[in-house]
Amino acid sequence: MRVAIVHDWLTTWAGAEKALAELLNCFPQAELFTTVNFLEQDKIPALKGKVIHTSFIQKMPLARTRYRHYLPLMPLAVEQFDLKGFDLILSSSHAVAKGVISDPNAVHICYCYSPMRYAWDMQHQYLREAGKEKGMVSWLIRWQLHRLRQWDYLSAQRVDHFVAISNYIKRRIKTSYRRDADVIYPPVNVSKFRSDRPREDFYLTASRMVPYKRMDLVIKAFNTMPDKQLIVIGDGPDYTKLAALAGPNVTLLGYQADSVLIDHLERTQAFLFMAEEDFGILPVEAQAAGAPVIGYGVGGLAETILNNVTGLWVEEQTSDALVKTVQQFEAHKRDDNIGFSPEVCRQSAERFATVNFTWAIQSLVNKHLAIR
């Protein structure tokens, strides 16, 4: 069986790429197609020795650093991939990968992280954060996004079967594409964490420092609770602004190696997460390390955190609501009937273990190939 796996782009090794790695493990014979690849292939075990096909955008000027500027050309780019003769096509998509033109005899399954947020329901937020709400440039961008939405909807009809990373994304696929989807949660390597280490007197948050992660809300909340210590791990465009915002009880460590993040997750009394995420791997990793999670209770987090069992949902995406929930958490810690057991947190995280993802993907593919 010839298998093609199509991924949007390979420029960083983040959550979507970790899912891609497991898809490649499931189908080691697969050839990989992507718009651009600027990763050092030999340094990434999942990519080592793989056949990787890239699009014409790979050779465009400044593509390495400004590949996102070529987004209007990416629909054309993925449609140029020659997938004739492949029996199974797996698109790993949060943007354009699902838009490939497949062989009529092939089965095309899309593992969808999200419809393009910036082209659909979050267009206005992205324009606002980019400072492009007004003027001729704004209208040019809006026109491009309008055309992109048209292509995105039409290309979604080429997919035989959609798989969403959460029920939250399943609903978004239905709204944007009018397509149903199965749900298979992304793989999380829970085995690399211990959950039995003593808890220490600090809270932890970690993320890439970009606006929608709302790390500013966490820092503002702890500025009003000077008796509580907050450690922040991560880097990104907002680092300088967040560092200036932080009070004396807030420590920013910047980017840290995975081993440092794991160490802090295993020792913190709770992990804080205020982003509205499609799934959110870090809150699951925190549970794997035995740490309860205090986070905004919408999106993927409402599916991965058991309220009042492995953490607490924050009702509103505000710093005041977070302060209230931290105070509620500390009251709960003194209640022997709640206590947020590290063992229970770990058991919750096991639902998302890599082995479960592998079994679910292979079962779904076998089912759809059998009824082709």
Side-chain angles (χ1 to χ4, degrees), residues 72-116:
L73 292 177
M74 287 186 181
L76 174 63
V78 297
E79 290 179 344
Q80 304 313 303
F81 290 139
D82 183 2
L83 301 180
K84 186 70 175 175
F86 284 93
D87 304 292
L88 172 65
I89 297 166
L90 291 170
S91 53
S92 165
S93 182
H94 58 77
V96 299
K98 66 166 186 359
V100 293
I101 299 175
S102 59
D103 190 310
N105 296 316
V107 173
H108 179 183
I109 298 173
C110 175
Y111 190 63
C112 184
Y113 307 100
S114 174
M116 285 186 276

Short mmCIF file of all heavy atoms in Angstrom, two decimals, residues 72-116:
data_model
loop_
_atom_site.label_atom_id
_atom_site.label_comp_id
_atom_site.label_asym_id
_atom_site.label_seq_id
_atom_site.Cartn_x
_atom_site.Cartn_y
_atom_site.Cartn_z
N PRO A 72 -1.22 33.12 0.46
CA PRO A 72 -2.14 33.16 -0.70
C PRO A 72 -1.75 32.20 -1.82
O PRO A 72 -2.60 31.82 -2.62
CB PRO A 72 -2.04 34.62 -1.16
CG PRO A 72 -1.67 35.39 0.07
CD PRO A 72 -0.73 34.47 0.80
N LEU A 73 -0.46 31.80 -1.89
CA LEU A 73 -0.01 30.88 -2.93
C LEU A 73 -0.07 29.42 -2.49
O LEU A 73 0.07 28.51 -3.32
CB LEU A 73 1.43 31.21 -3.34
CG LEU A 73 1.66 32.53 -4.08
CD1 LEU A 73 3.14 32.73 -4.34
CD2 LEU A 73 0.86 32.57 -5.38
N MET A 74 -0.29 29.17 -1.21
CA MET A 74 -0.22 27.80 -0.71
C MET A 74 -1.33 26.89 -1.24
O MET A 74 -1.07 25.71 -1.48
CB MET A 74 -0.17 27.80 0.81
CG MET A 74 1.17 28.25 1.35
SD MET A 74 1.30 28.08 3.14
CE MET A 74 2.96 28.73 3.41
N PRO A 75 -2.57 27.38 -1.45
CA PRO A 75 -3.55 26.50 -2.08
C PRO A 75 -3.08 25.97 -3.44
O PRO A 75 -3.21 24.77 -3.74
CB PRO A 75 -4.79 27.40 -2.22
CG PRO A 75 -4.66 28.35 -1.08
CD PRO A 75 -3.19 28.64 -0.99
N LEU A 76 -2.51 26.85 -4.24
CA LEU A 76 -1.96 26.42 -5.53
C LEU A 76 -0.82 25.44 -5.32
O LEU A 76 -0.72 24.43 -6.03
CB LEU A 76 -1.47 27.64 -6.33
CG LEU A 76 -0.74 27.34 -7.64
CD1 LEU A 76 -1.68 26.65 -8.62
CD2 LEU A 76 -0.18 28.63 -8.24
N ALA A 77 0.01 25.70 -4.32
CA ALA A 77 1.19 24.85 -4.08
C ALA A 77 0.79 23.42 -3.74
O ALA A 77 1.35 22.47 -4.30
CB ALA A 77 2.04 25.46 -2.96
N VAL A 78 -0.17 23.24 -2.83
CA VAL A 78 -0.52 21.87 -2.44
C VAL A 78 -1.27 21.15 -3.56
O VAL A 78 -1.20 19.91 -3.65
CB VAL A 78 -1.35 21.84 -1.13
CG1 VAL A 78 -0.54 22.40 0.02
CG2 VAL A 78 -2.67 22.56 -1.27
N GLU A 79 -1.94 21.90 -4.41
CA GLU A 79 -2.65 21.27 -5.52
C GLU A 79 -1.70 20.76 -6.60
O GLU A 79 -2.12 19.99 -7.49
CB GLU A 79 -3.66 22.23 -6.13
CG GLU A 79 -4.85 22.50 -5.22
CD GLU A 79 -5.85 23.47 -5.80
OE1 GLU A 79 -5.50 24.19 -6.78
OE2 GLU A 79 -6.99 23.55 -5.29
N GLN A 80 -0.44 21.15 -6.55
CA GLN A 80 0.54 20.70 -7.53
C GLN A 80 1.21 19.37 -7.15
O GLN A 80 1.93 18.79 -7.96
CB GLN A 80 1.62 21.77 -7.75
CG GLN A 80 1.09 23.13 -8.17
CD GLN A 80 0.06 23.03 -9.29
OE1 GLN A 80 0.34 22.48 -10.36
NE2 GLN A 80 -1.14 23.56 -9.05
N PHE A 81 0.99 18.90 -5.92
CA PHE A 81 1.58 17.62 -5.54
C PHE A 81 0.94 16.49 -6.36
O PHE A 81 -0.28 16.40 -6.46
CB PHE A 81 1.36 17.34 -4.05
CG PHE A 81 2.16 18.23 -3.13
CD1 PHE A 81 1.59 18.75 -1.98
CD2 PHE A 81 3.48 18.52 -3.40
CE1 PHE A 81 2.32 19.56 -1.12
CE2 PHE A 81 4.23 19.33 -2.56
CZ PHE A 81 3.64 19.86 -1.42
N ASP A 82 1.78 15.65 -6.93
CA ASP A 82 1.30 14.53 -7.75
C ASP A 82 1.11 13.31 -6.86
O ASP A 82 2.06 12.65 -6.47
CB ASP A 82 2.32 14.23 -8.86
CG ASP A 82 1.84 13.13 -9.79
OD1 ASP A 82 0.71 12.63 -9.61
OD2 ASP A 82 2.61 12.76 -10.70
N LEU A 83 -0.14 13.01 -6.54
CA LEU A 83 -0.46 11.91 -5.64
C LEU A 83 -1.08 10.73 -6.39
O LEU A 83 -1.71 9.86 -5.78
CB LEU A 83 -1.41 12.39 -4.54
CG LEU A 83 -0.88 13.54 -3.66
CD1 LEU A 83 -1.89 13.93 -2.61
CD2 LEU A 83 0.45 13.18 -3.02
N LYS A 84 -0.87 10.69 -7.68
CA LYS A 84 -1.36 9.58 -8.48
C LYS A 84 -0.71 8.28 -8.01
O LYS A 84 0.51 8.20 -7.83
CB LYS A 84 -1.04 9.82 -9.96
CG LYS A 84 -1.64 8.79 -10.91
CD LYS A 84 -3.14 8.92 -11.00
CE LYS A 84 -3.72 7.97 -12.05
NZ LYS A 84 -5.20 8.01 -12.07
N GLY A 85 -1.54 7.25 -7.81
CA GLY A 85 -1.02 5.94 -7.45
C GLY A 85 -0.95 5.67 -5.96
O GLY A 85 -0.66 4.54 -5.55
N PHE A 86 -1.22 6.68 -5.12
CA PHE A 86 -1.23 6.46 -3.68
C PHE A 86 -2.59 5.88 -3.27
O PHE A 86 -3.64 6.33 -3.74
CB PHE A 86 -0.96 7.76 -2.92
CG PHE A 86 0.48 8.17 -2.95
CD1 PHE A 86 0.95 9.05 -3.92
CD2 PHE A 86 1.38 7.67 -2.01
CE1 PHE A 86 2.28 9.42 -3.95
CE2 PHE A 86 2.71 8.04 -2.04
CZ PHE A 86 3.17 8.92 -3.01
N ASP A 87 -2.56 4.90 -2.39
CA ASP A 87 -3.78 4.24 -1.93
C ASP A 87 -4.41 4.97 -0.74
O ASP A 87 -5.63 4.98 -0.58
CB ASP A 87 -3.48 2.80 -1.51
CG ASP A 87 -2.84 2.01 -2.63
OD1 ASP A 87 -3.53 1.74 -3.63
OD2 ASP A 87 -1.64 1.68 -2.51
N LEU A 88 -3.56 5.55 0.10
CA LEU A 88 -4.03 6.23 1.31
C LEU A 88 -3.34 7.59 1.41
O LEU A 88 -2.11 7.67 1.28
CB LEU A 88 -3.70 5.40 2.56
CG LEU A 88 -3.96 6.05 3.91
CD1 LEU A 88 -5.45 6.32 4.12
CD2 LEU A 88 -3.41 5.18 5.05
N ILE A 89 -4.13 8.62 1.62
CA ILE A 89 -3.59 9.97 1.83
C ILE A 89 -4.05 10.43 3.20
O ILE A 89 -5.25 10.47 3.50
CB ILE A 89 -4.07 10.94 0.74
CG1 ILE A 89 -3.56 10.50 -0.62
CG2 ILE A 89 -3.61 12.37 1.05
CD1 ILE A 89 -4.24 11.17 -1.78
N LEU A 90 -3.08 10.77 4.05
CA LEU A 90 -3.36 11.33 5.37
C LEU A 90 -2.88 12.77 5.38
O LEU A 90 -1.68 13.02 5.25
CB LEU A 90 -2.63 10.54 6.45
CG LEU A 90 -3.11 9.11 6.73
CD1 LEU A 90 -2.13 8.38 7.64
CD2 LEU A 90 -4.49 9.13 7.36
N SER A 91 -3.81 13.70 5.47
CA SER A 91 -3.40 15.10 5.58
C SER A 91 -3.42 15.50 7.05
O SER A 91 -4.37 15.24 7.78
CB SER A 91 -4.30 16.01 4.74
OG SER A 91 -5.67 15.83 5.05
N SER A 92 -2.33 16.10 7.48
CA SER A 92 -2.14 16.59 8.84
C SER A 92 -2.24 18.10 8.74
O SER A 92 -1.29 18.79 8.40
CB SER A 92 -0.76 16.13 9.34
OG SER A 92 -0.36 16.80 10.49
N SER A 93 -3.45 18.65 9.05
CA SER A 93 -3.76 19.98 8.54
C SER A 93 -4.37 20.94 9.56
O SER A 93 -5.32 20.60 10.26
CB SER A 93 -4.74 19.83 7.37
OG SER A 93 -5.06 21.07 6.79
N HIS A 94 -3.80 22.13 9.62
CA HIS A 94 -4.45 23.27 10.28
C HIS A 94 -4.56 24.43 9.30
O HIS A 94 -5.03 25.50 9.66
CB HIS A 94 -3.69 23.71 11.53
CG HIS A 94 -2.26 24.10 11.27
ND1 HIS A 94 -1.91 25.30 10.71
CD2 HIS A 94 -1.10 23.44 11.49
CE1 HIS A 94 -0.60 25.37 10.60
NE2 HIS A 94 -0.08 24.25 11.06
N ALA A 95 -4.15 24.19 8.06
CA ALA A 95 -4.19 25.26 7.06
C ALA A 95 -4.56 24.69 5.69
O ALA A 95 -5.74 24.59 5.36
CB ALA A 95 -2.85 26.00 7.02
N VAL A 96 -3.57 24.29 4.89
CA VAL A 96 -3.83 23.97 3.49
C VAL A 96 -3.61 22.52 3.11
O VAL A 96 -3.98 22.11 2.00
CB VAL A 96 -2.95 24.86 2.57
CG1 VAL A 96 -3.28 26.33 2.78
CG2 VAL A 96 -1.46 24.61 2.82
N ALA A 97 -3.04 21.71 3.98
CA ALA A 97 -2.65 20.35 3.60
C ALA A 97 -3.83 19.51 3.12
O ALA A 97 -3.69 18.68 2.21
CB ALA A 97 -1.96 19.65 4.77
N LYS A 98 -5.00 19.73 3.70
CA LYS A 98 -6.16 18.94 3.32
C LYS A 98 -6.62 19.23 1.89
O LYS A 98 -7.45 18.50 1.34
CB LYS A 98 -7.33 19.21 4.27
CG LYS A 98 -7.80 20.63 4.13
CD LYS A 98 -9.12 20.89 4.77
CE LYS A 98 -9.62 22.26 4.49
NZ LYS A 98 -8.82 23.17 3.69
N GLY A 99 -6.10 20.29 1.26
CA GLY A 99 -6.55 20.69 -0.07
C GLY A 99 -5.87 19.99 -1.22
O GLY A 99 -6.09 20.37 -2.38
N VAL A 100 -5.07 18.97 -0.95
CA VAL A 100 -4.41 18.24 -2.04
C VAL A 100 -5.46 17.57 -2.93
O VAL A 100 -6.58 17.27 -2.50
CB VAL A 100 -3.44 17.17 -1.51
CG1 VAL A 100 -2.25 17.82 -0.82
CG2 VAL A 100 -4.15 16.20 -0.57
N ILE A 101 -5.09 17.36 -4.18
CA ILE A 101 -5.96 16.66 -5.13
C ILE A 101 -5.51 15.21 -5.16
O ILE A 101 -4.40 14.90 -5.60
CB ILE A 101 -5.89 17.30 -6.53
CG1 ILE A 101 -6.36 18.76 -6.44
CG2 ILE A 101 -6.74 16.52 -7.52
CD1 ILE A 101 -6.21 19.54 -7.73
N SER A 102 -6.38 14.32 -4.69
CA SER A 102 -5.99 12.93 -4.53
C SER A 102 -6.41 12.08 -5.72
O SER A 102 -7.26 12.48 -6.52
CB SER A 102 -6.61 12.36 -3.24
OG SER A 102 -8.01 12.46 -3.29
N ASP A 103 -5.80 10.92 -5.81
CA ASP A 103 -6.20 9.92 -6.79
C ASP A 103 -7.64 9.50 -6.49
O ASP A 103 -7.99 9.26 -5.33
CB ASP A 103 -5.26 8.72 -6.67
CG ASP A 103 -5.43 7.72 -7.81
OD1 ASP A 103 -6.59 7.32 -8.07
OD2 ASP A 103 -4.42 7.33 -8.41
N PRO A 104 -8.51 9.40 -7.51
CA PRO A 104 -9.91 9.00 -7.26
C PRO A 104 -10.04 7.65 -6.56
O PRO A 104 -11.05 7.39 -5.89
CB PRO A 104 -10.51 8.94 -8.66
CG PRO A 104 -9.66 9.84 -9.50
CD PRO A 104 -8.28 9.72 -8.93
N ASN A 105 -9.03 6.79 -6.69
CA ASN A 105 -9.08 5.47 -6.06
C ASN A 105 -8.53 5.47 -4.64
O ASN A 105 -8.57 4.44 -3.96
CB ASN A 105 -8.31 4.46 -6.90
CG ASN A 105 -8.94 4.25 -8.27
OD1 ASN A 105 -10.15 4.12 -8.38
ND2 ASN A 105 -8.12 4.23 -9.31
N ALA A 106 -8.01 6.61 -4.21
CA ALA A 106 -7.40 6.68 -2.88
C ALA A 106 -8.44 7.04 -1.82
O ALA A 106 -9.49 7.61 -2.11
CB ALA A 106 -6.28 7.72 -2.87
N VAL A 107 -8.12 6.73 -0.58
CA VAL A 107 -8.89 7.19 0.58
C VAL A 107 -8.12 8.35 1.20
O VAL A 107 -6.93 8.21 1.52
CB VAL A 107 -9.08 6.06 1.62
CG1 VAL A 107 -9.72 6.60 2.88
CG2 VAL A 107 -9.93 4.95 1.04
N HIS A 108 -8.79 9.49 1.34
CA HIS A 108 -8.16 10.69 1.91
C HIS A 108 -8.78 10.94 3.28
O HIS A 108 -9.97 11.26 3.40
CB HIS A 108 -8.36 11.90 1.00
CG HIS A 108 -7.76 13.16 1.55
ND1 HIS A 108 -7.87 14.37 0.90
CD2 HIS A 108 -7.03 13.41 2.67
CE1 HIS A 108 -7.26 15.31 1.61
NE2 HIS A 108 -6.74 14.75 2.68
N ILE A 109 -7.96 10.81 4.33
CA ILE A 109 -8.39 11.08 5.70
C ILE A 109 -7.62 12.30 6.20
O ILE A 109 -6.39 12.34 6.12
CB ILE A 109 -8.12 9.87 6.60
CG1 ILE A 109 -8.93 8.66 6.12
CG2 ILE A 109 -8.46 10.19 8.06
CD1 ILE A 109 -8.61 7.37 6.85
N CYS A 110 -8.34 13.28 6.69
CA CYS A 110 -7.71 14.50 7.21
C CYS A 110 -7.72 14.49 8.72
O CYS A 110 -8.79 14.42 9.35
CB CYS A 110 -8.44 15.74 6.70
SG CYS A 110 -7.81 17.28 7.43
N TYR A 111 -6.51 14.54 9.33
CA TYR A 111 -6.40 14.75 10.77
C TYR A 111 -6.31 16.25 10.97
O TYR A 111 -5.27 16.87 10.69
CB TYR A 111 -5.17 14.03 11.33
CG TYR A 111 -5.13 14.03 12.84
CD1 TYR A 111 -6.12 13.37 13.56
CD2 TYR A 111 -4.13 14.68 13.54
CE1 TYR A 111 -6.12 13.36 14.94
CE2 TYR A 111 -4.11 14.67 14.93
CZ TYR A 111 -5.11 14.02 15.63
OH TYR A 111 -5.11 14.02 17.00
N CYS A 112 -7.41 16.84 11.42
CA CYS A 112 -7.56 18.30 11.41
C CYS A 112 -7.35 18.90 12.80
O CYS A 112 -8.09 18.59 13.74
CB CYS A 112 -8.96 18.66 10.89
SG CYS A 112 -9.24 20.43 10.71
N TYR A 113 -6.34 19.76 12.91
CA TYR A 113 -6.07 20.46 14.17
C TYR A 113 -7.04 21.61 14.36
O TYR A 113 -7.37 21.97 15.49
CB TYR A 113 -4.63 20.97 14.19
CG TYR A 113 -3.63 19.89 13.89
CD1 TYR A 113 -3.06 19.74 12.63
CD2 TYR A 113 -3.27 18.97 14.87
CE1 TYR A 113 -2.18 18.71 12.34
CE2 TYR A 113 -2.37 17.94 14.60
CZ TYR A 113 -1.83 17.82 13.33
OH TYR A 113 -0.96 16.79 13.05
N SER A 114 -7.50 22.19 13.25
CA SER A 114 -8.48 23.28 13.29
C SER A 114 -8.70 23.78 11.88
O SER A 114 -7.76 23.77 11.08
CB SER A 114 -7.98 24.44 14.16
OG SER A 114 -8.87 25.54 14.07
N PRO A 115 -9.92 24.20 11.53
CA PRO A 115 -10.03 25.05 10.34
C PRO A 115 -9.18 26.30 10.54
O PRO A 115 -8.88 26.68 11.68
CB PRO A 115 -11.53 25.40 10.30
CG PRO A 115 -12.19 24.30 11.06
CD PRO A 115 -11.21 23.93 12.15
N MET A 116 -8.79 26.95 9.47
CA MET A 116 -7.91 28.12 9.58
C MET A 116 -8.57 29.21 10.42
O MET A 116 -9.48 29.90 9.96
CB MET A 116 -7.58 28.67 8.18
CG MET A 116 -6.58 27.84 7.44
SD MET A 116 -6.06 28.58 5.86
CE MET A 116 -7.37 28.02 4.79
#
